[in-house]
Amino acid sequence: MRSSVLLRRAIRSVRWYVRELTDESAYDRYVAHLRKTRPGTEVPSRREFERMRTDRQEEDPRQGFRCC
């Protein structure tokens, strides 16, 4: 019983780490931020968010490098 709890906790930790490392959780953080700071504002879809993020990165070279 205890080993299954530890295994689930380890899996959750690894999942959290991978999501943070790959920045997959950025949309979740953005939605939480919008709901906290601007309640009632329409939340963009994940696709719209990724498009905005990509556009911002391409406009500002300090945001990252895109080779292709």
Side-chain angles (χ1 to χ4, degrees):
M1 174 93 161
R2 180 152 167 80
S3 62
S4 65
V5 171
L6 292 175
L7 179 61
R8 277 187 268 144
R9 185 178 294 165
I11 289 171
R12 275 197 312 265
S13 296
V14 169
R15 183 178 182 271
W16 174 86
Y17 181 76
V18 169
R19 283 177 47 84
E20 291 297 320
L21 186 65
T22 61
D23 210 20
E24 185 179 328
S25 61
Y27 178 71
D28 299 332
R29 286 192 308 268
Y30 179 72
V31 170
H33 170 75
L34 270 185
R35 289 188 175 147
K36 181 180 179 184
T37 59
R38 299 182 204 166
T41 301
E42 186 176 333
V43 176
S45 68
R46 187 182 236 347
R47 176 175 273 177
E48 291 169 332
F49 169 76
E50 292 298 340
R51 181 78 254 165
M52 290 184 319
R53 196 163 81 147
T54 301
D55 290 346
R56 187 178 64 239
Q57 287 174 343
E58 288 178 353
E59 290 172 2
D60 187 357
R62 294 173 295 164
Q63 290 290 323
F65 177 75
R66 184 169 180 197
C67 68
C68 311

PDB file of all heavy atoms in Angstrom, residues 11-35:
ATOM      1  N   ILE A  11       5.500   9.584  -9.778  1.00  0.00           N
ATOM      2  CA  ILE A  11       5.013   9.802 -11.143  1.00  0.00           C
ATOM      3  C   ILE A  11       4.492  11.224 -11.302  1.00  0.00           C
ATOM      4  O   ILE A  11       4.775  11.894 -12.306  1.00  0.00           O
ATOM      5  CB  ILE A  11       3.938   8.757 -11.512  1.00  0.00           C
ATOM      6  CG1 ILE A  11       4.596   7.382 -11.676  1.00  0.00           C
ATOM      7  CG2 ILE A  11       3.203   9.147 -12.782  1.00  0.00           C
ATOM      8  CD1 ILE A  11       3.617   6.245 -11.821  1.00  0.00           C
ATOM      9  N   ARG A  12       3.733  11.710 -10.315  1.00  0.00           N
ATOM     10  CA  ARG A  12       3.241  13.089 -10.366  1.00  0.00           C
ATOM     11  C   ARG A  12       4.398  14.082 -10.398  1.00  0.00           C
ATOM     12  O   ARG A  12       4.351  15.080 -11.115  1.00  0.00           O
ATOM     13  CB  ARG A  12       2.341  13.379  -9.174  1.00  0.00           C
ATOM     14  CG  ARG A  12       0.923  12.977  -9.376  1.00  0.00           C
ATOM     15  CD  ARG A  12      -0.014  13.638  -8.372  1.00  0.00           C
ATOM     16  NE  ARG A  12       0.432  13.554  -6.999  1.00  0.00           N
ATOM     17  CZ  ARG A  12       0.061  12.622  -6.127  1.00  0.00           C
ATOM     18  NH1 ARG A  12      -0.783  11.678  -6.491  1.00  0.00           N
ATOM     19  NH2 ARG A  12       0.518  12.632  -4.895  1.00  0.00           N
ATOM     20  N   SER A  13       5.421  13.819  -9.616  1.00  0.00           N
ATOM     21  CA  SER A  13       6.577  14.720  -9.577  1.00  0.00           C
ATOM     22  C   SER A  13       7.299  14.750 -10.916  1.00  0.00           C
ATOM     23  O   SER A  13       7.678  15.820 -11.400  1.00  0.00           O
ATOM     24  CB  SER A  13       7.545  14.290  -8.477  1.00  0.00           C
ATOM     25  OG  SER A  13       6.939  14.418  -7.219  1.00  0.00           O
ATOM     26  N   VAL A  14       7.491  13.587 -11.501  1.00  0.00           N
ATOM     27  CA  VAL A  14       8.159  13.520 -12.806  1.00  0.00           C
ATOM     28  C   VAL A  14       7.320  14.222 -13.862  1.00  0.00           C
ATOM     29  O   VAL A  14       7.838  14.984 -14.683  1.00  0.00           O
ATOM     30  CB  VAL A  14       8.445  12.051 -13.207  1.00  0.00           C
ATOM     31  CG1 VAL A  14       8.877  11.950 -14.656  1.00  0.00           C
ATOM     32  CG2 VAL A  14       9.497  11.460 -12.289  1.00  0.00           C
ATOM     33  N   ARG A  15       6.004  13.998 -13.842  1.00  0.00           N
ATOM     34  CA  ARG A  15       5.111  14.660 -14.800  1.00  0.00           C
ATOM     35  C   ARG A  15       5.190  16.171 -14.644  1.00  0.00           C
ATOM     36  O   ARG A  15       5.287  16.914 -15.624  1.00  0.00           O
ATOM     37  CB  ARG A  15       3.678  14.183 -14.598  1.00  0.00           C
ATOM     38  CG  ARG A  15       2.717  14.780 -15.592  1.00  0.00           C
ATOM     39  CD  ARG A  15       1.297  14.220 -15.384  1.00  0.00           C
ATOM     40  NE  ARG A  15       0.387  14.751 -16.355  1.00  0.00           N
ATOM     41  CZ  ARG A  15      -0.310  15.871 -16.215  1.00  0.00           C
ATOM     42  NH1 ARG A  15      -0.201  16.577 -15.103  1.00  0.00           N
ATOM     43  NH2 ARG A  15      -1.120  16.289 -17.157  1.00  0.00           N
ATOM     44  N   TRP A  16       5.143  16.667 -13.399  1.00  0.00           N
ATOM     45  CA  TRP A  16       5.243  18.099 -13.161  1.00  0.00           C
ATOM     46  C   TRP A  16       6.571  18.637 -13.704  1.00  0.00           C
ATOM     47  O   TRP A  16       6.605  19.659 -14.392  1.00  0.00           O
ATOM     48  CB  TRP A  16       5.144  18.405 -11.662  1.00  0.00           C
ATOM     49  CG  TRP A  16       5.380  19.850 -11.360  1.00  0.00           C
ATOM     50  CD1 TRP A  16       4.469  20.853 -11.377  1.00  0.00           C
ATOM     51  CD2 TRP A  16       6.638  20.452 -11.033  1.00  0.00           C
ATOM     52  NE1 TRP A  16       5.070  22.051 -11.074  1.00  0.00           N
ATOM     53  CE2 TRP A  16       6.404  21.834 -10.862  1.00  0.00           C
ATOM     54  CE3 TRP A  16       7.930  19.966 -10.876  1.00  0.00           C
ATOM     55  CZ2 TRP A  16       7.422  22.727 -10.547  1.00  0.00           C
ATOM     56  CZ3 TRP A  16       8.943  20.861 -10.552  1.00  0.00           C
ATOM     57  CH2 TRP A  16       8.674  22.221 -10.389  1.00  0.00           C
ATOM     58  N   TYR A  17       7.661  17.944 -13.424  1.00  0.00           N
ATOM     59  CA  TYR A  17       8.990  18.382 -13.858  1.00  0.00           C
ATOM     60  C   TYR A  17       9.072  18.465 -15.378  1.00  0.00           C
ATOM     61  O   TYR A  17       9.558  19.448 -15.935  1.00  0.00           O
ATOM     62  CB  TYR A  17      10.056  17.439 -13.295  1.00  0.00           C
ATOM     63  CG  TYR A  17      11.449  17.840 -13.672  1.00  0.00           C
ATOM     64  CD1 TYR A  17      12.084  18.901 -13.038  1.00  0.00           C
ATOM     65  CD2 TYR A  17      12.134  17.170 -14.680  1.00  0.00           C
ATOM     66  CE1 TYR A  17      13.365  19.284 -13.395  1.00  0.00           C
ATOM     67  CE2 TYR A  17      13.412  17.537 -15.043  1.00  0.00           C
ATOM     68  CZ  TYR A  17      14.018  18.599 -14.396  1.00  0.00           C
ATOM     69  OH  TYR A  17      15.273  18.985 -14.761  1.00  0.00           O
ATOM     70  N   VAL A  18       8.585  17.443 -16.052  1.00  0.00           N
ATOM     71  CA  VAL A  18       8.638  17.416 -17.520  1.00  0.00           C
ATOM     72  C   VAL A  18       7.786  18.544 -18.104  1.00  0.00           C
ATOM     73  O   VAL A  18       8.199  19.225 -19.051  1.00  0.00           O
ATOM     74  CB  VAL A  18       8.200  16.040 -18.071  1.00  0.00           C
ATOM     75  CG1 VAL A  18       7.996  16.076 -19.572  1.00  0.00           C
ATOM     76  CG2 VAL A  18       9.222  14.984 -17.698  1.00  0.00           C
ATOM     77  N   ARG A  19       6.591  18.771 -17.544  1.00  0.00           N
ATOM     78  CA  ARG A  19       5.734  19.861 -18.036  1.00  0.00           C
ATOM     79  C   ARG A  19       6.406  21.220 -17.841  1.00  0.00           C
ATOM     80  O   ARG A  19       6.302  22.093 -18.700  1.00  0.00           O
ATOM     81  CB  ARG A  19       4.383  19.839 -17.321  1.00  0.00           C
ATOM     82  CG  ARG A  19       3.460  18.768 -17.845  1.00  0.00           C
ATOM     83  CD  ARG A  19       2.150  18.705 -17.070  1.00  0.00           C
ATOM     84  NE  ARG A  19       1.491  19.969 -16.826  1.00  0.00           N
ATOM     85  CZ  ARG A  19       0.672  20.586 -17.678  1.00  0.00           C
ATOM     86  NH1 ARG A  19       0.411  20.032 -18.822  1.00  0.00           N
ATOM     87  NH2 ARG A  19       0.121  21.732 -17.362  1.00  0.00           N
ATOM     88  N   GLU A  20       7.088  21.416 -16.724  1.00  0.00           N
ATOM     89  CA  GLU A  20       7.791  22.674 -16.484  1.00  0.00           C
ATOM     90  C   GLU A  20       9.005  22.807 -17.395  1.00  0.00           C
ATOM     91  O   GLU A  20       9.273  23.879 -17.934  1.00  0.00           O
ATOM     92  CB  GLU A  20       8.217  22.784 -15.021  1.00  0.00           C
ATOM     93  CG  GLU A  20       7.069  22.967 -14.057  1.00  0.00           C
ATOM     94  CD  GLU A  20       6.300  24.254 -14.266  1.00  0.00           C
ATOM     95  OE1 GLU A  20       6.926  25.307 -14.545  1.00  0.00           O
ATOM     96  OE2 GLU A  20       5.070  24.218 -14.154  1.00  0.00           O
ATOM     97  N   LEU A  21       9.723  21.729 -17.572  1.00  0.00           N
ATOM     98  CA  LEU A  21      10.927  21.743 -18.400  1.00  0.00           C
ATOM     99  C   LEU A  21      10.594  22.057 -19.854  1.00  0.00           C
ATOM    100  O   LEU A  21      11.308  22.814 -20.514  1.00  0.00           O
ATOM    101  CB  LEU A  21      11.635  20.385 -18.304  1.00  0.00           C
ATOM    102  CG  LEU A  21      12.975  20.261 -18.988  1.00  0.00           C
ATOM    103  CD1 LEU A  21      13.995  21.183 -18.328  1.00  0.00           C
ATOM    104  CD2 LEU A  21      13.466  18.827 -18.908  1.00  0.00           C
ATOM    105  N   THR A  22       9.511  21.501 -20.360  1.00  0.00           N
ATOM    106  CA  THR A  22       9.115  21.719 -21.754  1.00  0.00           C
ATOM    107  C   THR A  22       8.218  22.939 -21.926  1.00  0.00           C
ATOM    108  O   THR A  22       7.838  23.262 -23.039  1.00  0.00           O
ATOM    109  CB  THR A  22       8.369  20.486 -22.304  1.00  0.00           C
ATOM    110  OG1 THR A  22       7.192  20.264 -21.529  1.00  0.00           O
ATOM    111  CG2 THR A  22       9.253  19.262 -22.288  1.00  0.00           C
ATOM    112  N   ASP A  23       7.864  23.596 -20.840  1.00  0.00           N
ATOM    113  CA  ASP A  23       7.006  24.783 -20.815  1.00  0.00           C
ATOM    114  C   ASP A  23       5.591  24.482 -21.294  1.00  0.00           C
ATOM    115  O   ASP A  23       4.882  25.355 -21.759  1.00  0.00           O
ATOM    116  CB  ASP A  23       7.627  25.917 -21.625  1.00  0.00           C
ATOM    117  CG  ASP A  23       7.241  27.275 -21.077  1.00  0.00           C
ATOM    118  OD1 ASP A  23       6.833  27.357 -19.903  1.00  0.00           O
ATOM    119  OD2 ASP A  23       7.356  28.269 -21.818  1.00  0.00           O
ATOM    120  N   GLU A  24       5.190  23.232 -21.179  1.00  0.00           N
ATOM    121  CA  GLU A  24       3.829  22.846 -21.542  1.00  0.00           C
ATOM    122  C   GLU A  24       2.810  23.459 -20.583  1.00  0.00           C
ATOM    123  O   GLU A  24       1.659  23.678 -20.939  1.00  0.00           O
ATOM    124  CB  GLU A  24       3.689  21.327 -21.542  1.00  0.00           C
ATOM    125  CG  GLU A  24       2.348  20.862 -22.034  1.00  0.00           C
ATOM    126  CD  GLU A  24       2.221  19.367 -22.056  1.00  0.00           C
ATOM    127  OE1 GLU A  24       3.225  18.678 -22.289  1.00  0.00           O
ATOM    128  OE2 GLU A  24       1.099  18.885 -21.827  1.00  0.00           O
ATOM    129  N   SER A  25       3.229  23.767 -19.383  1.00  0.00           N
ATOM    130  CA  SER A  25       2.316  24.321 -18.380  1.00  0.00           C
ATOM    131  C   SER A  25       2.121  25.832 -18.527  1.00  0.00           C
ATOM    132  O   SER A  25       1.368  26.434 -17.763  1.00  0.00           O
ATOM    133  CB  SER A  25       2.831  23.997 -16.985  1.00  0.00           C
ATOM    134  OG  SER A  25       4.104  24.564 -16.796  1.00  0.00           O
ATOM    135  N   ALA A  26       2.766  26.440 -19.515  1.00  0.00           N
ATOM    136  CA  ALA A  26       2.662  27.893 -19.698  1.00  0.00           C
ATOM    137  C   ALA A  26       1.213  28.332 -19.917  1.00  0.00           C
ATOM    138  O   ALA A  26       0.787  29.363 -19.398  1.00  0.00           O
ATOM    139  CB  ALA A  26       3.537  28.348 -20.861  1.00  0.00           C
ATOM    140  N   TYR A  27       0.468  27.568 -20.695  1.00  0.00           N
ATOM    141  CA  TYR A  27      -0.937  27.931 -20.961  1.00  0.00           C
ATOM    142  C   TYR A  27      -1.745  27.887 -19.673  1.00  0.00           C
ATOM    143  O   TYR A  27      -2.534  28.802 -19.411  1.00  0.00           O
ATOM    144  CB  TYR A  27      -1.539  26.990 -21.999  1.00  0.00           C
ATOM    145  CG  TYR A  27      -2.996  27.269 -22.279  1.00  0.00           C
ATOM    146  CD1 TYR A  27      -3.388  28.407 -22.973  1.00  0.00           C
ATOM    147  CD2 TYR A  27      -3.982  26.401 -21.850  1.00  0.00           C
ATOM    148  CE1 TYR A  27      -4.731  28.675 -23.228  1.00  0.00           C
ATOM    149  CE2 TYR A  27      -5.325  26.653 -22.095  1.00  0.00           C
ATOM    150  CZ  TYR A  27      -5.691  27.786 -22.792  1.00  0.00           C
ATOM    151  OH  TYR A  27      -7.015  28.053 -23.037  1.00  0.00           O
ATOM    152  N   ASP A  28      -1.548  26.862 -18.851  1.00  0.00           N
ATOM    153  CA  ASP A  28      -2.272  26.764 -17.578  1.00  0.00           C
ATOM    154  C   ASP A  28      -1.963  27.958 -16.683  1.00  0.00           C
ATOM    155  O   ASP A  28      -2.861  28.518 -16.050  1.00  0.00           O
ATOM    156  CB  ASP A  28      -1.929  25.467 -16.862  1.00  0.00           C
ATOM    157  CG  ASP A  28      -2.318  24.239 -17.666  1.00  0.00           C
ATOM    158  OD1 ASP A  28      -3.277  24.322 -18.464  1.00  0.00           O
ATOM    159  OD2 ASP A  28      -1.660  23.201 -17.500  1.00  0.00           O
ATOM    160  N   ARG A  29      -0.690  28.350 -16.625  1.00  0.00           N
ATOM    161  CA  ARG A  29      -0.311  29.514 -15.819  1.00  0.00           C
ATOM    162  C   ARG A  29      -0.932  30.795 -16.374  1.00  0.00           C
ATOM    163  O   ARG A  29      -1.402  31.650 -15.630  1.00  0.00           O
ATOM    164  CB  ARG A  29       1.218  29.660 -15.773  1.00  0.00           C
ATOM    165  CG  ARG A  29       1.894  28.658 -14.889  1.00  0.00           C
ATOM    166  CD  ARG A  29       3.356  29.018 -14.637  1.00  0.00           C
ATOM    167  NE  ARG A  29       4.106  29.261 -15.856  1.00  0.00           N
ATOM    168  CZ  ARG A  29       4.795  28.344 -16.515  1.00  0.00           C
ATOM    169  NH1 ARG A  29       4.818  27.099 -16.089  1.00  0.00           N
ATOM    170  NH2 ARG A  29       5.457  28.660 -17.603  1.00  0.00           N
ATOM    171  N   TYR A  30      -0.959  30.916 -17.698  1.00  0.00           N
ATOM    172  CA  TYR A  30      -1.532  32.096 -18.340  1.00  0.00           C
ATOM    173  C   TYR A  30      -3.029  32.210 -18.042  1.00  0.00           C
ATOM    174  O   TYR A  30      -3.524  33.285 -17.700  1.00  0.00           O
ATOM    175  CB  TYR A  30      -1.290  32.032 -19.849  1.00  0.00           C
ATOM    176  CG  TYR A  30      -1.863  33.198 -20.609  1.00  0.00           C
ATOM    177  CD1 TYR A  30      -1.294  34.460 -20.528  1.00  0.00           C
ATOM    178  CD2 TYR A  30      -2.971  33.034 -21.437  1.00  0.00           C
ATOM    179  CE1 TYR A  30      -1.814  35.534 -21.222  1.00  0.00           C
ATOM    180  CE2 TYR A  30      -3.498  34.101 -22.138  1.00  0.00           C
ATOM    181  CZ  TYR A  30      -2.913  35.345 -22.034  1.00  0.00           C
ATOM    182  OH  TYR A  30      -3.441  36.404 -22.724  1.00  0.00           O
ATOM    183  N   VAL A  31      -3.743  31.108 -18.155  1.00  0.00           N
ATOM    184  CA  VAL A  31      -5.183  31.107 -17.874  1.00  0.00           C
ATOM    185  C   VAL A  31      -5.432  31.476 -16.414  1.00  0.00           C
ATOM    186  O   VAL A  31      -6.307  32.291 -16.108  1.00  0.00           O
ATOM    187  CB  VAL A  31      -5.811  29.735 -18.224  1.00  0.00           C
ATOM    188  CG1 VAL A  31      -7.226  29.637 -17.707  1.00  0.00           C
ATOM    189  CG2 VAL A  31      -5.779  29.515 -19.725  1.00  0.00           C
ATOM    190  N   ALA A  32      -4.659  30.907 -15.496  1.00  0.00           N
ATOM    191  CA  ALA A  32      -4.820  31.228 -14.076  1.00  0.00           C
ATOM    192  C   ALA A  32      -4.550  32.715 -13.833  1.00  0.00           C
ATOM    193  O   ALA A  32      -5.267  33.380 -13.068  1.00  0.00           O
ATOM    194  CB  ALA A  32      -3.887  30.369 -13.236  1.00  0.00           C
ATOM    195  N   HIS A  33      -3.533  33.243 -14.489  1.00  0.00           N
ATOM    196  CA  HIS A  33      -3.188  34.662 -14.351  1.00  0.00           C
ATOM    197  C   HIS A  33      -4.327  35.546 -14.873  1.00  0.00           C
ATOM    198  O   HIS A  33      -4.709  36.524 -14.222  1.00  0.00           O
ATOM    199  CB  HIS A  33      -1.892  34.957 -15.105  1.00  0.00           C
ATOM    200  CG  HIS A  33      -1.583  36.406 -15.218  1.00  0.00           C
ATOM    201  ND1 HIS A  33      -1.100  37.143 -14.156  1.00  0.00           N
ATOM    202  CD2 HIS A  33      -1.697  37.266 -16.257  1.00  0.00           C
ATOM    203  CE1 HIS A  33      -0.932  38.401 -14.543  1.00  0.00           C
ATOM    204  NE2 HIS A  33      -1.287  38.492 -15.820  1.00  0.00           N
ATOM    205  N   LEU A  34      -4.856  35.210 -16.055  1.00  0.00           N
ATOM    206  CA  LEU A  34      -5.959  35.998 -16.615  1.00  0.00           C
ATOM    207  C   LEU A  34      -7.173  35.987 -15.697  1.00  0.00           C
ATOM    208  O   LEU A  34      -7.789  37.032 -15.468  1.00  0.00           O
ATOM    209  CB  LEU A  34      -6.374  35.438 -17.979  1.00  0.00           C
ATOM    210  CG  LEU A  34      -5.694  35.989 -19.209  1.00  0.00           C
ATOM    211  CD1 LEU A  34      -6.324  35.395 -20.471  1.00  0.00           C
ATOM    212  CD2 LEU A  34      -5.726  37.479 -19.270  1.00  0.00           C
ATOM    213  N   ARG A  35      -7.522  34.831 -15.207  1.00  0.00           N
ATOM    214  CA  ARG A  35      -8.710  34.723 -14.350  1.00  0.00           C
ATOM    215  C   ARG A  35      -8.532  35.478 -13.040  1.00  0.00           C
ATOM    216  O   ARG A  35      -9.493  35.983 -12.478  1.00  0.00           O
ATOM    217  CB  ARG A  35      -9.041  33.264 -14.103  1.00  0.00           C
ATOM    218  CG  ARG A  35      -9.585  32.615 -15.351  1.00  0.00           C
ATOM    219  CD  ARG A  35     -10.102  31.240 -15.124  1.00  0.00           C
ATOM    220  NE  ARG A  35     -10.719  30.741 -16.342  1.00  0.00           N
ATOM    221  CZ  ARG A  35     -10.708  29.501 -16.717  1.00  0.00           C
ATOM    222  NH1 ARG A  35     -10.128  28.587 -15.958  1.00  0.00           N
ATOM    223  NH2 ARG A  35     -11.297  29.129 -17.842  1.00  0.00           N
TER     224      ARG A  35
END
